[in-house]
Structures are given as C-alpha cells and as structure tokens.
Amino acid sequence: MTEIHPTTGLADGTFGLARLGDEGGVINALVRPDGGVVDLTPQYPSQDELYGDWARTFDALELLNSRSVGTDKTVTDYRVLAPTVRPQIFCAGSNYRQHAAEMYTFNKGNYAKDRHDGESDEQFYERNLSFVTEKRAKGMPFIWLASHGSLVGPDDDIELPAIGVAHDWEAELTIVTAGGAPRYLSPDEAVEYIVGYTIGNDMHIGDLFSRTDIKWNADWIAKQSPTYKQAGPFVVPRQFFPDRSTLQITLDVSGERMQDWPADDMIFSPEEYLAYASERVSILAGDLLMMGSPPGNGAVHGARWLVPGDTVDISIAGLGHQHHRVIAEDLHGRTPHFGLPPFDRPDAR
C-alpha cells in the first residue's frame, strides 16, 4: 500500500465513500485521501442506487474521481455519519482464535462454569484454545444480528447505560454488502457482493450477557445498547485491497493501546461468512458484517472496563480512524425497572 494521508487515514490512490452532514442536510460523498469531497447525491441519491450494482458503480466512481471537481469544503467541514442507513448488522462470533480463547478463559458468567477445579488461567486458556482450533475451525461460522438502533458514526459519543459495569470494546474489520445477492452463495461468488471495508466497534456489556433463568444462558440484547455499534468513517472499495493482510486493527482507550492485531487473522473469511449468511437470511445493499474481534478486550486487561471520561480511538490502516468520548447516558430522571439479570453464582459478576 502507498502512503496513508494523515487527514483522512486513506491511502494515496484510493478513495472512501461516506455519508456527510452539515446545515444543508446529508449527502452521499466520495472522499479523497487529502480530504477533498465529491458530492455523489445527484448520481446516487440513495444507498440502494450507490451499492445496488457495485461492479458498474465502482467503474463509474473511478471515472468521477478522476474528472470531478470537489465541493468547496473538505471532509473536516462535515459531520461524518454512520456509513449506511438502517442496515442489517451481521456480527461474527468467535472468529479470532486467540480472542475466543481469551474470552472463554477470562470473561465471567457462563464461561467460568467450564473451568476445572484447581485449573490455572494458563491451563484453562490452552484448553480453550484447543477447543477453538479443533471445533470452531472445523465447523461453520456463527452469526448474530444487531439492531441498527445501536448504530452511530465514527466520532459520536459512547453513552454508558445505567445497568452493568463491564462495558467492553471489540474493534472489528467490517464489511459493507452490495445489492442483488442471491440466496445460497458460494464463498467464491460472495466476493462480488462485498462493496468494501470500514471500521466497526462491536461493544457489549459483559455482566448483562450471562443469564441462568433461561436455558440458552445468554442474552444477546446486551450487545445492542444505544451507541454500542460504531461504524465508519469511510467505506473503502474492496478493489483497493486485493490483499487484506495489509489491514491492521488498533484500539486505544484513553491513550493506552489495548488491541493491535492483523485484521486478516480470521478463522472464517468474509466471503465464507457472507455465503453462510445467504443461506439463512436475505442480504441487502448497505448491510454491515462485523467480522469479529481480535484479542485485547477489557477482561484480558484486568477487567479494565470503559468509564465516563475515557476516550476510544480505533484505526485500521487505509480505512481511516474513529474517535469517541465515553460519557454516562442521560437518564432524564428515569430508573431501570429490571436491572441486572439473575445469575446463580455470586462470583460471576
């Protein structure tokens, strides 16, 4: 990859697509590495038109990028919004071996039930790593769905709710999908329905996740608090990244490096995940597929959870960067009715 421009985090010779807002409204935009903006709204007023026929659109965008004069503003003059509108958000589970093994070892709740009496962290970790290697990689992808009500942009505040304390981060390579995908894709076909890549953060509240009053023991709504899915700033076309090994994920909390890992070190590829998803649901233009977290979550850092006053900075080389303040949710004088879920073991929280 060529040089990364410090203003945008985009590589020279590429461009990103973004939803930008100002006092005049929201535009679909092509953003150049130096921050120059081309308004695409006249040609592509909706994301269905922008992402509906991606192969044809990409060729047209390259032509527009080479010939069009930008607006009289740069990207820093706009508010950068979440990259797509009301997407289905597909979230990959346990897709990085080391992260999965760390999660099964250090997170509390139901994971702790699998620890043998007297087993050390090191022994439990090695057993969990063996499980991930032998079982998960020989099986199939695991996907859960998040609500677009939890989605915010790359510079928006993260609002910590009144319930729970284990507010954890998961920086993730995120796929943006094209329209027209048929059902029952093969992985080889699926690549044609990947528009490009963006940055995602699949946050969750650990102490809301485990429950013993239901048989399946997990409550996935704990991963969907408002503002807990951050995405953007740009959708960078996959055509600029024939080799995903150049993509490195980093996440800092209040200036301390917490995650730093190759994005392509996955158990299942984006193409495999998209093929799997196509067997279960319809894939729409502008959907997001968060590809799972690399190692380095809060449980591994001594239960270092997010608290008001923190900042979160995320980057993936060539895709830009995110910056978030962490604040407490404004409850407007209201209090929770149900609160924390029941759990049989007092040491699990």
Side-chain angles (χ1 to χ4, degrees), residues 46-121:
S46 73
Q47 75 184 29
D48 282 344
E49 288 161 304
L50 184 57
Y51 299 135
D53 184 355
W54 179 242
R56 180 178 297 177
T57 299
F58 177 73
D59 291 340
L61 292 176
E62 286 212 298
L63 195 60
L64 280 169
N65 184 42
S66 66
R67 294 182 177 179
S68 295
V69 175
T71 67
D72 58 357
K73 296 181 177 181
T74 69
V75 69
T76 57
D77 297 317
Y78 295 89
R79 179 186 174 197
V80 184
L81 307 175
T84 62
V85 181
R86 296 185 178 86
Q88 298 182 104
I89 306 175
F90 304 108
C91 298
S94 301
N95 199 30
Y96 287 73
R97 289 192 326 123
Q98 184 168 321
H99 164 66
E102 288 176 350
M103 179 175 61
Y104 298 156
T105 302
F106 296 105
N107 284 22
K108 302 299 183 182
N110 287 305
Y111 301 124
K113 290 182 174 181
D114 292 330
R115 188 189 288 260
H116 296 161
D117 290 341
E119 191 171 33
S120 68
D121 284 348

Side-chain angles (χ1 to χ4, degrees), residues 249-304:
I249 300 172
T250 63
L251 179 144
D252 296 347
V253 176
S254 297
E256 182 179 357
R257 181 62 46 89
M258 297 296 186
Q259 293 186 285
D260 191 348
W261 205 259
D264 204 35
D265 180 35
M266 303 174 191
I267 296 173
F268 295 103
S269 70
E271 291 80 12
E272 289 171 317
Y273 258 95
L274 201 57
Y276 175 78
S278 75
E279 296 179 5
R280 268 61 177 174
V281 297
S282 296
I283 296 167
L284 308 175
D287 285 344
L288 302 179
L289 169 56
M290 294 187 170
M291 285 305 307
S293 175
N297 301 108
V300 180
H301 293 285
R304 198 305 190 191

